[in-house]
Amino acid sequence: MLDIKLIRENPDMVKAAMKTRNKDMDALVDEILEIDAKRRELAAKRDALKAEQNAASKEIPAIKKAGGDISAIMAKMNEVKAAIKADEDELASLEERQKTIIYEFPNIPNASTPIGKDDSENVEIRRWGEPKNFGFEPKAHWDIGADLGILDPETAAKITGARFHVYKGFGARLERAIISYFLDKHTTENGYTEILPPYMVHRNSMVGTGQLPKFEEDEFKDVNTDYFLIPTA
């Protein structure tokens, strides 16, 4: 999530950065700035009212002790209390709208990132070796796997859908072995700690990792608990 301070102090830079990602978000940047100005204005007004309220709360006991009439000041404080409540309600609404908009912004690309309309304009930085010339038309890995009996796309299509696989026999063992190999290597040789997290998390975790609200329509969700399957589940 972009920092509101960054947007406030560098709106033109943010607008230009979004365009390098083929996103025209000028109107949203302007809306954020309008909300931010209104929010800070309201916060200052609320704080001034609270200061008035605090001063009155110290004054009232002294008036009562002196036998004075506090009805006028109490009426005034009721008005101040209502004004504070109205300001805080509006502030909460503005802050929620501002947060919702900011969540729509992707990260700002590094200055060294090449600009292009899609991956066809990616820049090749280096190349190692040469592509192997088989002298014949090579098969795709899914066809090789099906021929060897280690991948079963037909069964996967029946139980899930297209573009999924059932791993069978040596294929399942190979998948399990690769996972175990890398877990063992990184935890015993490279200083990593193995973690087995929950496969479901609450909404705040998904927001914190940038999955929500932008990709909510693509996530798998338990509607009864508001839990989501993590993207790698």
Side-chain angles (χ1 to χ4, degrees):
M1 186 173 99
L2 297 187
D3 190 335
I4 180 59
K5 185 178 179 181
L6 174 70
I7 300 174
R8 182 190 304 138
E9 296 178 354
N10 304 278
D12 292 337
M13 182 274 286
V14 173
K15 290 177 179 179
M18 294 302 103
K19 288 183 174 65
T20 68
R21 302 196 61 156
N22 301 314
K23 295 179 180 293
D24 186 349
M25 305 184 82
D26 290 8
L28 288 179
V29 171
D30 292 339
E31 183 178 353
I32 287 173
L33 294 176
E34 290 174 11
I35 291 172
D36 187 56
K38 180 63 175 176
R39 184 183 60 79
R40 288 190 290 159
E41 178 186 333
L42 267 175
K45 178 187 169 191
R46 177 206 56 193
D47 292 345
L49 288 171
K50 283 189 172 183
E52 182 181 350
Q53 191 179 49
N54 291 336
S57 67
K58 294 176 181 178
E59 184 181 355
I60 288 171
I63 297 174
K64 290 174 68 176
K65 186 175 181 180
D69 183 7
I70 62 169
S71 58
I73 195 171
M74 289 300 296
K76 174 66 175 175
M77 285 307 98
N78 286 335
E79 292 177 4
V80 169
K81 182 178 179 181
I84 290 173
K85 175 67 166 58
D87 288 346
E88 288 184 336
D89 288 347
E90 188 173 356
L91 270 171
S93 176
L94 288 171
E95 287 168 356
E96 184 62 28
R97 174 58 183 161
Q98 179 176 278
K99 184 171 65 174
T100 298
I101 297 173
I102 291 178
Y103 281 143
E104 294 297 319
F105 282 72
N107 288 330
I108 292 175
N110 187 278
S112 64
T113 305
I115 298 173
K117 64 179 183 297
D118 54 39
D119 58 7
S120 68
E121 297 185 6
N122 286 347
V123 177
E124 184 177 290
I125 297 175
R126 61 181 175 271
R127 178 180 293 209
W128 183 87
E130 293 294 331
K132 186 175 180 64
N133 184 2
F134 290 97
F136 58 87
E137 183 68 29
K139 288 185 176 181
H141 72 270
W142 51 85
D143 291 328
I144 295 174
D147 290 345
L148 293 174
I150 62 175
L151 295 178
D152 186 353
E154 292 184 0
T155 298
K158 292 178 182 177
I159 62 177
T160 303
R163 302 182 69 182
F164 286 87
H165 282 290
V166 170
Y167 292 79
K168 295 172 58 179
F170 185 74
R173 290 174 56 199
L174 178 61
E175 183 82 358
R176 176 162 48 89
I178 291 173
I179 293 171
S180 296
Y181 168 75
F182 279 103
L183 280 172
D184 291 344
K185 182 173 182 63
H186 288 312
T187 54
T188 59
E189 298 180 22
N190 297 329
Y192 285 84
T193 299
E194 185 172 347
I195 300 291
L196 187 61
Y199 291 123
M200 299 193 78
V201 296
H202 54 56
R203 178 174 292 275
N204 287 346
S205 294
M206 295 291 280
V207 170
T209 53
Q211 303 301 317
L212 298 182
K214 190 181 303 182
F215 304 118
E216 181 158 356
E217 295 302 314
D218 299 320
E219 305 295 346
F220 294 94
K221 175 186 176 184
D222 180 353
V223 295
N224 295 318
T225 61
D226 206 28
Y227 285 176
F228 295 81
L229 277 174
I230 62 174
T232 50

